[in-house]
PDB file of all heavy atoms in Angstrom:
ATOM      1  N   PRO A 191      27.444  -4.735   4.063  1.00  0.00           N
ATOM      2  CA  PRO A 191      28.578  -4.257   4.748  1.00  0.00           C
ATOM      3  C   PRO A 191      29.633  -5.305   4.885  1.00  0.00           C
ATOM      4  O   PRO A 191      29.381  -6.550   4.907  1.00  0.00           O
ATOM      5  CB  PRO A 191      28.083  -3.789   6.116  1.00  0.00           C
ATOM      6  CG  PRO A 191      26.854  -4.667   6.321  1.00  0.00           C
ATOM      7  CD  PRO A 191      26.241  -4.783   4.928  1.00  0.00           C
ATOM      8  N   GLN A 195      33.377  -3.591   8.854  1.00  0.00           N
ATOM      9  CA  GLN A 195      32.448  -2.498   9.114  1.00  0.00           C
ATOM     10  C   GLN A 195      31.546  -2.842  10.244  1.00  0.00           C
ATOM     11  O   GLN A 195      31.152  -2.012  11.166  1.00  0.00           O
ATOM     12  CB  GLN A 195      31.685  -2.175   7.830  1.00  0.00           C
ATOM     13  CG  GLN A 195      32.479  -1.423   6.861  1.00  0.00           C
ATOM     14  CD  GLN A 195      31.631  -1.112   5.465  1.00  0.00           C
ATOM     15  OE1 GLN A 195      30.966  -1.975   5.074  1.00  0.00           O
ATOM     16  NE2 GLN A 195      31.698   0.158   5.082  1.00  0.00           N
ATOM     17  N   LEU A 199      31.038  -0.990  13.841  1.00  0.00           N
ATOM     18  CA  LEU A 199      29.813  -0.430  14.229  1.00  0.00           C
ATOM     19  C   LEU A 199      29.438  -0.881  15.691  1.00  0.00           C
ATOM     20  O   LEU A 199      28.904  -0.096  16.528  1.00  0.00           O
ATOM     21  CB  LEU A 199      28.658  -0.770  13.301  1.00  0.00           C
ATOM     22  CG  LEU A 199      28.610  -0.015  11.944  1.00  0.00           C
ATOM     23  CD1 LEU A 199      27.825  -0.764  10.934  1.00  0.00           C
ATOM     24  CD2 LEU A 199      28.163   1.417  12.086  1.00  0.00           C
ATOM     25  N   ILE A 200      29.666  -2.181  15.896  1.00  0.00           N
ATOM     26  CA  ILE A 200      29.344  -2.693  17.288  1.00  0.00           C
ATOM     27  C   ILE A 200      30.211  -2.034  18.283  1.00  0.00           C
ATOM     28  O   ILE A 200      29.819  -1.709  19.368  1.00  0.00           O
ATOM     29  CB  ILE A 200      29.475  -4.199  17.216  1.00  0.00           C
ATOM     30  CG1 ILE A 200      28.404  -4.791  16.437  1.00  0.00           C
ATOM     31  CG2 ILE A 200      29.518  -4.734  18.675  1.00  0.00           C
ATOM     32  CD1 ILE A 200      28.545  -6.301  16.237  1.00  0.00           C
ATOM     33  N   ALA A 203      29.088   1.753  18.875  1.00  0.00           N
ATOM     34  CA  ALA A 203      27.732   2.028  19.319  1.00  0.00           C
ATOM     35  C   ALA A 203      27.669   2.233  20.812  1.00  0.00           C
ATOM     36  O   ALA A 203      28.579   1.816  21.625  1.00  0.00           O
ATOM     37  CB  ALA A 203      26.852   0.871  18.936  1.00  0.00           C
ATOM     38  N   GLU A 204      26.658   2.959  21.313  1.00  0.00           N
ATOM     39  CA  GLU A 204      26.357   3.013  22.733  1.00  0.00           C
ATOM     40  C   GLU A 204      26.242   1.745  23.301  1.00  0.00           C
ATOM     41  O   GLU A 204      25.718   0.746  22.699  1.00  0.00           O
ATOM     42  CB  GLU A 204      25.003   3.857  22.982  1.00  0.00           C
ATOM     43  CG  GLU A 204      25.032   5.258  22.385  1.00  0.00           C
ATOM     44  CD  GLU A 204      23.707   5.965  22.617  1.00  0.00           C
ATOM     45  OE1 GLU A 204      22.855   5.328  23.188  1.00  0.00           O
ATOM     46  OE2 GLU A 204      23.600   7.081  22.104  1.00  0.00           O
ATOM     47  N   PHE A 207      23.116  -0.083  22.968  1.00  0.00           N
ATOM     48  CA  PHE A 207      22.630  -0.347  21.548  1.00  0.00           C
ATOM     49  C   PHE A 207      23.479  -1.542  20.915  1.00  0.00           C
ATOM     50  O   PHE A 207      23.210  -1.919  19.801  1.00  0.00           O
ATOM     51  CB  PHE A 207      22.719   0.959  20.804  1.00  0.00           C
ATOM     52  CG  PHE A 207      21.918   0.835  19.465  1.00  0.00           C
ATOM     53  CD1 PHE A 207      20.554   0.692  19.518  1.00  0.00           C
ATOM     54  CD2 PHE A 207      22.549   1.028  18.285  1.00  0.00           C
ATOM     55  CE1 PHE A 207      19.839   0.674  18.326  1.00  0.00           C
ATOM     56  CE2 PHE A 207      21.849   1.031  17.073  1.00  0.00           C
ATOM     57  CZ  PHE A 207      20.512   0.875  17.075  1.00  0.00           C
ATOM     58  N   PHE A 210      21.619  -4.589  20.034  1.00  0.00           N
ATOM     59  CA  PHE A 210      20.710  -4.409  18.981  1.00  0.00           C
ATOM     60  C   PHE A 210      21.321  -4.585  17.579  1.00  0.00           C
ATOM     61  O   PHE A 210      20.816  -5.302  16.761  1.00  0.00           O
ATOM     62  CB  PHE A 210      20.119  -2.985  19.122  1.00  0.00           C
ATOM     63  CG  PHE A 210      18.902  -2.673  18.248  1.00  0.00           C
ATOM     64  CD1 PHE A 210      17.610  -2.719  18.920  1.00  0.00           C
ATOM     65  CD2 PHE A 210      18.857  -2.542  16.913  1.00  0.00           C
ATOM     66  CE1 PHE A 210      16.462  -2.485  18.229  1.00  0.00           C
ATOM     67  CE2 PHE A 210      17.721  -2.330  16.152  1.00  0.00           C
ATOM     68  CZ  PHE A 210      16.547  -2.276  16.898  1.00  0.00           C
ATOM     69  N   ILE A 211      22.455  -4.001  17.401  1.00  0.00           N
ATOM     70  CA  ILE A 211      23.200  -4.151  16.149  1.00  0.00           C
ATOM     71  C   ILE A 211      23.638  -5.564  15.942  1.00  0.00           C
ATOM     72  O   ILE A 211      23.452  -6.099  14.819  1.00  0.00           O
ATOM     73  CB  ILE A 211      24.418  -3.222  16.120  1.00  0.00           C
ATOM     74  CG1 ILE A 211      24.032  -1.761  16.113  1.00  0.00           C
ATOM     75  CG2 ILE A 211      25.306  -3.455  14.853  1.00  0.00           C
ATOM     76  CD1 ILE A 211      25.222  -0.759  16.263  1.00  0.00           C
ATOM     77  N   CYS A 214      20.703  -7.768  14.683  1.00  0.00           N
ATOM     78  CA  CYS A 214      20.449  -7.562  13.309  1.00  0.00           C
ATOM     79  C   CYS A 214      21.510  -8.174  12.386  1.00  0.00           C
ATOM     80  O   CYS A 214      21.193  -8.795  11.326  1.00  0.00           O
ATOM     81  CB  CYS A 214      20.304  -6.048  13.011  1.00  0.00           C
ATOM     82  SG  CYS A 214      19.018  -5.258  13.816  1.00  0.00           S
ATOM     83  N   ASN A 305      12.075   6.084  15.816  1.00  0.00           N
ATOM     84  CA  ASN A 305      12.978   7.245  15.893  1.00  0.00           C
ATOM     85  C   ASN A 305      14.092   7.113  16.853  1.00  0.00           C
ATOM     86  O   ASN A 305      15.196   7.624  16.543  1.00  0.00           O
ATOM     87  CB  ASN A 305      12.057   8.443  16.348  1.00  0.00           C
ATOM     88  CG  ASN A 305      11.206   8.898  15.165  1.00  0.00           C
ATOM     89  OD1 ASN A 305      11.118   8.376  14.137  1.00  0.00           O
ATOM     90  ND2 ASN A 305      10.387   9.951  15.507  1.00  0.00           N
ATOM     91  N   MET A 306      13.826   6.427  17.956  1.00  0.00           N
ATOM     92  CA  MET A 306      14.911   6.229  18.953  1.00  0.00           C
ATOM     93  C   MET A 306      16.030   5.328  18.339  1.00  0.00           C
ATOM     94  O   MET A 306      17.174   5.548  18.490  1.00  0.00           O
ATOM     95  CB  MET A 306      14.348   5.588  20.256  1.00  0.00           C
ATOM     96  CG  MET A 306      13.364   6.583  20.932  1.00  0.00           C
ATOM     97  SD  MET A 306      12.691   5.772  22.388  1.00  0.00           S
ATOM     98  CE  MET A 306      14.034   5.769  23.488  1.00  0.00           C
ATOM     99  N   VAL A 307      15.524   4.264  17.695  1.00  0.00           N
ATOM    100  CA  VAL A 307      16.487   3.300  17.068  1.00  0.00           C
ATOM    101  C   VAL A 307      17.317   4.049  15.991  1.00  0.00           C
ATOM    102  O   VAL A 307      18.537   3.924  15.904  1.00  0.00           O
ATOM    103  CB  VAL A 307      15.722   2.134  16.409  1.00  0.00           C
ATOM    104  CG1 VAL A 307      16.734   1.246  15.585  1.00  0.00           C
ATOM    105  CG2 VAL A 307      15.083   1.317  17.534  1.00  0.00           C
ATOM    106  N   GLY A 308      16.647   4.888  15.133  1.00  0.00           N
ATOM    107  CA  GLY A 308      17.318   5.598  14.125  1.00  0.00           C
ATOM    108  C   GLY A 308      18.312   6.512  14.685  1.00  0.00           C
ATOM    109  O   GLY A 308      19.454   6.580  14.116  1.00  0.00           O
ATOM    110  N   GLY A 309      18.037   7.165  15.751  1.00  0.00           N
ATOM    111  CA  GLY A 309      19.046   8.157  16.366  1.00  0.00           C
ATOM    112  C   GLY A 309      20.296   7.457  16.882  1.00  0.00           C
ATOM    113  O   GLY A 309      21.397   7.917  16.563  1.00  0.00           O
ATOM    114  N   ARG A 310      20.120   6.391  17.529  1.00  0.00           N
ATOM    115  CA  ARG A 310      21.234   5.643  18.083  1.00  0.00           C
ATOM    116  C   ARG A 310      22.074   5.046  16.839  1.00  0.00           C
ATOM    117  O   ARG A 310      23.303   4.817  16.898  1.00  0.00           O
ATOM    118  CB  ARG A 310      20.722   4.483  18.962  1.00  0.00           C
ATOM    119  CG  ARG A 310      20.315   4.997  20.316  1.00  0.00           C
ATOM    120  CD  ARG A 310      19.461   4.048  21.029  1.00  0.00           C
ATOM    121  NE  ARG A 310      19.120   4.493  22.389  1.00  0.00           N
ATOM    122  CZ  ARG A 310      18.366   5.444  22.692  1.00  0.00           C
ATOM    123  NH1 ARG A 310      17.637   6.065  21.776  1.00  0.00           N
ATOM    124  NH2 ARG A 310      18.055   5.770  24.010  1.00  0.00           N
ATOM    125  N   TRP A 311      21.374   4.576  15.831  1.00  0.00           N
ATOM    126  CA  TRP A 311      22.084   3.976  14.643  1.00  0.00           C
ATOM    127  C   TRP A 311      22.903   5.071  13.983  1.00  0.00           C
ATOM    128  O   TRP A 311      24.080   4.789  13.578  1.00  0.00           O
ATOM    129  CB  TRP A 311      21.140   3.372  13.632  1.00  0.00           C
ATOM    130  CG  TRP A 311      21.679   2.935  12.340  1.00  0.00           C
ATOM    131  CD1 TRP A 311      21.364   3.579  11.104  1.00  0.00           C
ATOM    132  CD2 TRP A 311      22.576   1.846  12.136  1.00  0.00           C
ATOM    133  NE1 TRP A 311      22.099   2.788  10.149  1.00  0.00           N
ATOM    134  CE2 TRP A 311      22.810   1.821  10.707  1.00  0.00           C
ATOM    135  CE3 TRP A 311      23.192   0.993  12.942  1.00  0.00           C
ATOM    136  CZ2 TRP A 311      23.664   0.924  10.194  1.00  0.00           C
ATOM    137  CZ3 TRP A 311      24.075   0.041  12.375  1.00  0.00           C
ATOM    138  CH2 TRP A 311      24.257   0.046  10.964  1.00  0.00           C
ATOM    139  N   ARG A 312      22.335   6.248  13.782  1.00  0.00           N
ATOM    140  CA  ARG A 312      23.111   7.284  13.108  1.00  0.00           C
ATOM    141  C   ARG A 312      24.355   7.701  14.008  1.00  0.00           C
ATOM    142  O   ARG A 312      25.435   7.979  13.471  1.00  0.00           O
ATOM    143  CB  ARG A 312      22.299   8.508  12.889  1.00  0.00           C
ATOM    144  CG  ARG A 312      21.141   8.341  11.774  1.00  0.00           C
ATOM    145  CD  ARG A 312      20.486   9.577  11.542  1.00  0.00           C
ATOM    146  NE  ARG A 312      19.591  10.015  12.522  1.00  0.00           N
ATOM    147  CZ  ARG A 312      18.339   9.598  12.633  1.00  0.00           C
ATOM    148  NH1 ARG A 312      17.823   8.769  11.788  1.00  0.00           N
ATOM    149  NH2 ARG A 312      17.582  10.025  13.655  1.00  0.00           N
ATOM    150  N   LYS A 313      24.298   7.723  15.288  1.00  0.00           N
ATOM    151  CA  LYS A 313      25.431   7.997  16.181  1.00  0.00           C
ATOM    152  C   LYS A 313      26.488   6.997  16.008  1.00  0.00           C
ATOM    153  O   LYS A 313      27.671   7.187  15.972  1.00  0.00           O
ATOM    154  CB  LYS A 313      24.917   8.028  17.620  1.00  0.00           C
ATOM    155  CG  LYS A 313      24.125   9.360  18.050  1.00  0.00           C
ATOM    156  CD  LYS A 313      23.755   9.283  19.490  1.00  0.00           C
ATOM    157  CE  LYS A 313      22.962  10.550  19.875  1.00  0.00           C
ATOM    158  NZ  LYS A 313      22.585  10.521  21.239  1.00  0.00           N
ATOM    159  N   ALA A 314      26.030   5.738  15.910  1.00  0.00           N
ATOM    160  CA  ALA A 314      27.003   4.617  15.728  1.00  0.00           C
ATOM    161  C   ALA A 314      27.709   4.701  14.389  1.00  0.00           C
ATOM    162  O   ALA A 314      29.014   4.594  14.339  1.00  0.00           O
ATOM    163  CB  ALA A 314      26.314   3.228  15.879  1.00  0.00           C
ATOM    164  N   LYS A 315      27.089   5.036  13.371  1.00  0.00           N
ATOM    165  CA  LYS A 315      27.687   5.249  12.099  1.00  0.00           C
ATOM    166  C   LYS A 315      28.609   6.425  12.091  1.00  0.00           C
ATOM    167  O   LYS A 315      29.786   6.292  11.434  1.00  0.00           O
ATOM    168  CB  LYS A 315      26.637   5.345  11.019  1.00  0.00           C
ATOM    169  CG  LYS A 315      25.827   4.128  10.693  1.00  0.00           C
ATOM    170  CD  LYS A 315      25.237   4.243   9.247  1.00  0.00           C
ATOM    171  CE  LYS A 315      24.384   5.445   9.058  1.00  0.00           C
ATOM    172  NZ  LYS A 315      23.819   5.454   7.646  1.00  0.00           N
ATOM    173  N   ALA A 316      28.259   7.458  12.665  1.00  0.00           N
ATOM    174  CA  ALA A 316      29.159   8.674  12.665  1.00  0.00           C
ATOM    175  C   ALA A 316      30.398   8.321  13.529  1.00  0.00           C
ATOM    176  O   ALA A 316      31.514   8.785  13.128  1.00  0.00           O
ATOM    177  CB  ALA A 316      28.361   9.834  13.358  1.00  0.00           C
ATOM    178  N   ALA A 317      30.265   7.658  14.602  1.00  0.00           N
ATOM    179  CA  ALA A 317      31.468   7.338  15.388  1.00  0.00           C
ATOM    180  C   ALA A 317      32.348   6.345  14.669  1.00  0.00           C
ATOM    181  O   ALA A 317      33.559   6.362  14.868  1.00  0.00           O
ATOM    182  CB  ALA A 317      30.985   6.717  16.721  1.00  0.00           C
ATOM    183  N   ILE A 320      31.240   5.541   9.069  1.00  0.00           N
ATOM    184  CA  ILE A 320      30.597   4.746   7.931  1.00  0.00           C
ATOM    185  C   ILE A 320      29.326   5.534   7.505  1.00  0.00           C
ATOM    186  O   ILE A 320      28.572   5.887   8.368  1.00  0.00           O
ATOM    187  CB  ILE A 320      30.294   3.362   8.485  1.00  0.00           C
ATOM    188  CG1 ILE A 320      31.505   2.621   8.806  1.00  0.00           C
ATOM    189  CG2 ILE A 320      29.409   2.590   7.375  1.00  0.00           C
ATOM    190  CD1 ILE A 320      31.251   1.199   9.500  1.00  0.00           C
ATOM    191  N   ASP A 322      27.487   4.625   4.128  1.00  0.00           N
ATOM    192  CA  ASP A 322      26.678   3.995   3.131  1.00  0.00           C
ATOM    193  C   ASP A 322      26.007   2.760   3.592  1.00  0.00           C
ATOM    194  O   ASP A 322      25.458   1.986   2.762  1.00  0.00           O
ATOM    195  CB  ASP A 322      27.505   3.779   1.868  1.00  0.00           C
ATOM    196  CG  ASP A 322      28.652   2.798   2.183  1.00  0.00           C
ATOM    197  OD1 ASP A 322      29.018   2.586   3.384  1.00  0.00           O
ATOM    198  OD2 ASP A 322      29.178   2.103   1.216  1.00  0.00           O
ATOM    199  N   VAL A 323      25.880   2.483   4.868  1.00  0.00           N
ATOM    200  CA  VAL A 323      25.341   1.268   5.412  1.00  0.00           C
ATOM    201  C   VAL A 323      24.077   1.666   6.159  1.00  0.00           C
ATOM    202  O   VAL A 323      24.039   2.447   7.061  1.00  0.00           O
ATOM    203  CB  VAL A 323      26.298   0.507   6.344  1.00  0.00           C
ATOM    204  CG1 VAL A 323      25.561  -0.738   6.955  1.00  0.00           C
ATOM    205  CG2 VAL A 323      27.447   0.071   5.493  1.00  0.00           C
ATOM    206  N   LYS A 324      22.991   1.020   5.749  1.00  0.00           N
ATOM    207  CA  LYS A 324      21.655   1.190   6.479  1.00  0.00           C
ATOM    208  C   LYS A 324      21.559   0.108   7.537  1.00  0.00           C
ATOM    209  O   LYS A 324      22.170  -1.021   7.431  1.00  0.00           O
ATOM    210  CB  LYS A 324      20.479   1.115   5.521  1.00  0.00           C
ATOM    211  CG  LYS A 324      20.496   2.200   4.469  1.00  0.00           C
ATOM    212  CD  LYS A 324      19.327   2.086   3.570  1.00  0.00           C
ATOM    213  CE  LYS A 324      19.257   3.151   2.534  1.00  0.00           C
ATOM    214  NZ  LYS A 324      18.098   2.997   1.568  1.00  0.00           N
ATOM    215  N   LEU A 325      20.582   0.254   8.506  1.00  0.00           N
ATOM    216  CA  LEU A 325      20.421  -0.759   9.504  1.00  0.00           C
ATOM    217  C   LEU A 325      19.970  -1.995   8.894  1.00  0.00           C
ATOM    218  O   LEU A 325      20.342  -3.138   9.361  1.00  0.00           O
ATOM    219  CB  LEU A 325      19.527  -0.236  10.543  1.00  0.00           C
ATOM    220  CG  LEU A 325      19.159  -1.127  11.808  1.00  0.00           C
ATOM    221  CD1 LEU A 325      20.490  -1.518  12.507  1.00  0.00           C
ATOM    222  CD2 LEU A 325      18.187  -0.432  12.755  1.00  0.00           C
ATOM    223  N   HIS A 326      19.101  -1.853   7.831  1.00  0.00           N
ATOM    224  CA  HIS A 326      18.593  -3.125   7.280  1.00  0.00           C
ATOM    225  C   HIS A 326      19.641  -3.905   6.533  1.00  0.00           C
ATOM    226  O   HIS A 326      19.501  -5.023   6.152  1.00  0.00           O
ATOM    227  CB  HIS A 326      17.397  -2.783   6.277  1.00  0.00           C
ATOM    228  CG  HIS A 326      16.657  -3.928   5.842  1.00  0.00           C
ATOM    229  ND1 HIS A 326      15.723  -4.509   6.616  1.00  0.00           N
ATOM    230  CD2 HIS A 326      16.601  -4.541   4.609  1.00  0.00           C
ATOM    231  CE1 HIS A 326      15.100  -5.466   5.889  1.00  0.00           C
ATOM    232  NE2 HIS A 326      15.678  -5.539   4.671  1.00  0.00           N
ATOM    233  N   SER A 327      20.816  -3.127   6.163  1.00  0.00           N
ATOM    234  CA  SER A 327      21.947  -3.829   5.475  1.00  0.00           C
ATOM    235  C   SER A 327      22.477  -4.865   6.282  1.00  0.00           C
ATOM    236  O   SER A 327      23.091  -5.811   5.773  1.00  0.00           O
ATOM    237  CB  SER A 327      22.997  -2.787   5.107  1.00  0.00           C
ATOM    238  OG  SER A 327      22.453  -1.751   4.261  1.00  0.00           O
ATOM    239  N   LEU A 328      22.374  -4.824   7.614  1.00  0.00           N
ATOM    240  CA  LEU A 328      22.904  -5.814   8.491  1.00  0.00           C
ATOM    241  C   LEU A 328      22.160  -7.179   8.283  1.00  0.00           C
ATOM    242  O   LEU A 328      22.686  -8.181   8.456  1.00  0.00           O
ATOM    243  CB  LEU A 328      22.789  -5.430  10.018  1.00  0.00           C
ATOM    244  CG  LEU A 328      23.480  -4.151  10.375  1.00  0.00           C
ATOM    245  CD1 LEU A 328      23.304  -3.795  11.862  1.00  0.00           C
ATOM    246  CD2 LEU A 328      24.991  -4.235  10.107  1.00  0.00           C
TER     247      LEU A 328
END
Side-chain angles (χ1 to χ4, degrees):
Q195 287 177 315
L199 285 164
I200 291 175
E204 298 177 5
F207 198 62
F210 196 103
I211 295 177
C214 295
N305 285 2
M306 298 176 68
V307 172
R310 286 162 173 75
W311 171 247
R312 287 189 291 273
K313 286 181 181 179
K315 287 205 303 179
I320 296 173
D322 61 341
V323 176
K324 298 180 180 179
L325 184 56
H326 195 75
S327 299
L328 300 179

